[in-house]
Amino acid sequence: MGKGSVVNVQYPARERLANLPTPLQPLLKITEQFSRPYGGPKIWIKRDDLTESAMSGNKLRKLEFIIAEARARGCNTLITCGGEQSNHCRATALAAAKAGLQAHLILRKSSNNPPDASEVPDGNLLVDYLAGAEVSLYPLREYLDRLPQLFEHWAGFYQQRGDRALCIPTGGSDGLGIWGYLLATEELLEDCKSAGFHPDAVVCASGSGGTQAGLTLGVALCESRARVTGYAVCDDSEYFVNKVAADVKDWAERYGQSFDIDKSRIHVIDDYIGPGYGIATEEIYQTIALAAQLEGILLDPVYTGKAFHGLLQDIQRGHYRGCENLVFVHTGGQFGVFPQRTGFQKSWSAG
Ligand SMILES: *Cc1c(COP(=O)(O)O)cnc(C)c1O
């Protein structure tokens, strides 16, 4: 990739981990039943849930550049952070194992209760342990108050042991991780071209903003007319506009690019967060069941299910009129379905 593309930047080193390109597929039944009757677009799905099996999801694209950077800096350890069911931490744990690096995960419990050794790990957390990652679980409050100190503490711990750690921010989202979705944008536009169209809209879930930042930067550099919209799953629109702009700025500074993003090109919808991060509602569970039943696609209750639900609502409200082809980026998250198994009980017969 890169060659023959319109993006005229020199990509940094990349460690191949993901199976690329991921497929681009039309969602025919959902388009017919839930978009066309409202004057909405043909919906396509970019299957970044298929970047790998256990390591699957959007974080793997960022990790390709992050792990190459860790090697370049002579690091043998990756320290990163996230929620107890973080997909990013799970992908990091497995990618580190494959690359022969240690992983240390600073994880946030969803409550202020101290970690309980009798709790059986589930979903992503179970995989973290299987991958041999060091896991430090913190009560919610302590994590929120002390995250920078926790990174400092563990980086110091490894330094004292004679190791060298690379600290990766939440979601791998910064000026380094953004390369993953810059490359992905080129891939996506190429896919669309092969399928005979240019996308009018590209939609993703936004959690730490890096995926949206890469896509937004990517379409700008490729001079594509596609409008990138992030559906927020935690913080509000203002937060994400600033975060996306900050990631792009960090990228420009680190890599000597004179690019400055226009904030009016950063589109965030924060109407579908619901009760909070990681908390889904009955409609979200039903949309997940619907996508599984109509298209054989598994969305997750934390990110993609929320974003896709929001997208269908907005299509029905007419917000995507005039848009012919829309690409929804399926960013992964399958392991997050299982810890929320009780939420799906009423959803079997949806659709
Ligand atoms: C992390 C994640 C996102 C959000 O991506 P960001 O780059 O953090 O905004 C979306 N979907 C899934 C499944 C994720 O794990």
Side-chain angles (χ1 to χ4, degrees):
M1 284 294 298
K3 64 174 171 6
S5 70
V6 268
V7 172
N8 189 21
V9 291
Q10 181 71 43
Y11 279 87
R14 168 178 165 226
E15 179 130 336
R16 299 231 170 191
L17 294 163
N19 297 311
L20 303 179
T22 59
L24 176 75
Q25 300 165 340
L27 294 180
L28 296 175
K29 287 186 229 160
I30 287 185
T31 296
E32 280 319 308
Q33 295 180 32
F34 296 94
S35 183
R36 291 305 195 206
Y38 306 93
K42 178 166 182 177
I43 305 174
W44 300 77
I45 191 159
K46 175 69 171 157
R47 298 293 306 274
D48 277 8
D49 56 322
L50 299 181
T51 49
E52 223 270 1
S53 169
M55 289 182 224
S56 68
N58 59 340
K59 305 308 182 308
L60 197 58
R61 288 188 184 267
K62 308 179 191 187
L63 283 163
E64 291 197 322
F65 291 96
I66 294 168
I67 288 183
E69 173 85 3
R71 291 209 197 280
R73 291 201 209 166
C75 298
N76 64 353
T77 304
L78 304 177
I79 304 178
T80 194
C81 66
E84 198 173 339
Q85 285 300 328
S86 165
N87 296 304
H88 162 67
C89 289
R90 179 257 311 154
T92 303
L94 292 163
K98 182 170 183 190
L101 307 169
Q102 313 178 80
H104 194 119
L105 310 176
I106 297 170
L107 298 184
R108 178 185 75 236
K109 289 195 56 81
S110 51
S111 77
N112 285 324
N113 302 335
D116 174 356
S118 70
E119 267 174 44
V120 180
D122 197 353
N124 287 294
L125 182 60
L126 173 62
V127 182
D128 295 342
Y129 285 114
L130 291 177
E134 285 296 325
V135 173
S136 301
L137 275 164
Y138 294 93
L140 178 64
R141 189 75 261 159
E142 182 181 1
Y143 179 100
L144 296 177
D145 290 345
R146 296 188 57 237
L147 186 59
Q149 290 91 319
L150 296 174
F151 266 108
E152 228 169 88
H153 167 76
W154 288 114
F157 171 85
Y158 284 100
Q159 194 179 7
Q160 256 179 10
R161 289 195 347 185
D163 293 324
R164 203 178 158 91
L166 180 73
C167 291
I168 307 169
T170 307
S173 294
D174 62 4
L176 171 61
I178 203 171
W179 286 109
Y181 271 86
L182 198 48
L183 190 61
T185 309
E186 293 197 63
E187 184 184 304
L188 184 154
L189 293 175
E190 224 18 75
D191 297 337
C192 294
K193 200 170 163 191
S194 304
F197 69 94
H198 188 86
D200 303 296
V202 175
V203 168
C204 68
S206 283
S208 63
T211 302
Q212 186 177 356
L215 292 168
T216 305
L217 178 61
V219 300
L221 293 178
C222 290
E223 293 172 2
S224 158
R225 66 162 189 272
R227 179 186 171 107
V228 174
T229 301
Y231 279 76
V233 303
C234 40
D235 300 278
D236 66 9
S237 166
E238 187 190 350
Y239 170 85
F240 279 110
V241 169
N242 290 327
K243 179 61 168 60
V244 166
D247 283 5
V248 172
K249 186 160 183 275
D250 181 37
W251 171 82
E253 284 171 2
R254 283 202 209 192
Y255 300 97
Q257 302 290 331
S258 56
F259 186 83
D260 202 7
I261 194 99
D262 178 354
K263 279 195 183 171
S264 71
R265 290 199 66 167
I266 306 172
H267 309 286
V268 182
I269 308 284
D270 60 7
D271 299 334
Y272 302 98
I273 299 170
Y277 174 75
I279 307 169
T281 55
E282 189 54 38
E283 305 91 79
I284 310 283
Y285 292 124
Q286 289 194 2
T287 296
I288 293 171
L290 183 105
Q293 289 167 23
L294 287 182
E295 304 283 356
I297 296 235
L298 188 60
L299 301 171
D300 79 287
V302 182
Y303 296 96
T304 56
K306 261 186 198 178
F308 195 74
H309 177 74
L311 172 64
L312 292 185
Q313 295 295 108
D314 283 349
I315 286 174
Q316 295 182 17
R317 293 188 175 135
H319 294 187
Y320 288 88
R321 275 203 198 113
C323 170
E324 273 175 51
N325 287 284
L326 178 149
V327 179
F328 178 78
V329 182
H330 189 332
T331 40
Q334 300 85 324
F335 299 104
V337 167
F338 302 98
Q340 296 205 28
R341 53 177 64 75
T342 54
F344 292 97
Q345 279 164 356
K346 285 190 239 152
S347 312
W348 309 130
S349 59

